[in-house]
Amino acid sequence: PEVAWVNLGKSYAGEQNLIQAKQAFEQAVALEPSYLDAHYYLAVVAQQVGDVGLAREQANVVLTTAPEHAGAMALARQLG
């Protein structure tokens, strides 16, 4: 089910429906806290909606487990 939530979140994000995308990624993280893609996409969408704290937190979750994750590294640099 967490994969379905991530796929739904990606679909919403593609439609620029970022609030619903954020909610879908939050559902995925809640269902499977170890699902790094869910954390990463949540970080990206959080940044896009201006929730910098959540974006940093989620990027750090990814980097703690996968320190070479290129997307999370780039996002962390952008967030400062």
Side-chain angles (χ1 to χ4, degrees):
E2 66 277 0
V3 174
W5 281 109
V6 166
N7 289 336
L8 183 60
K10 288 179 180 181
S11 177
Y12 284 138
E15 298 167 356
Q16 294 302 306
N17 191 340
L18 300 179
I19 298 302
Q20 285 191 300
K22 182 177 175 234
Q23 292 169 345
F25 295 133
E26 287 171 333
Q27 276 294 117
V29 166
L31 286 170
E32 185 53 65
S34 65
Y35 190 15
L36 292 184
D37 282 348
H39 288 281
Y40 172 68
Y41 291 119
L42 178 54
V44 170
V45 169
Q47 180 198 30
Q48 292 174 336
V49 299
D51 191 342
V52 176
L54 179 62
R56 278 191 188 117
E57 172 189 301
Q58 295 302 305
N60 286 335
V61 167
V62 175
L63 291 172
T64 298
T65 304
E68 299 301 317
H69 190 286
M73 287 177 11
L75 184 60
R77 279 193 301 275
Q78 288 177 4
L79 295 167

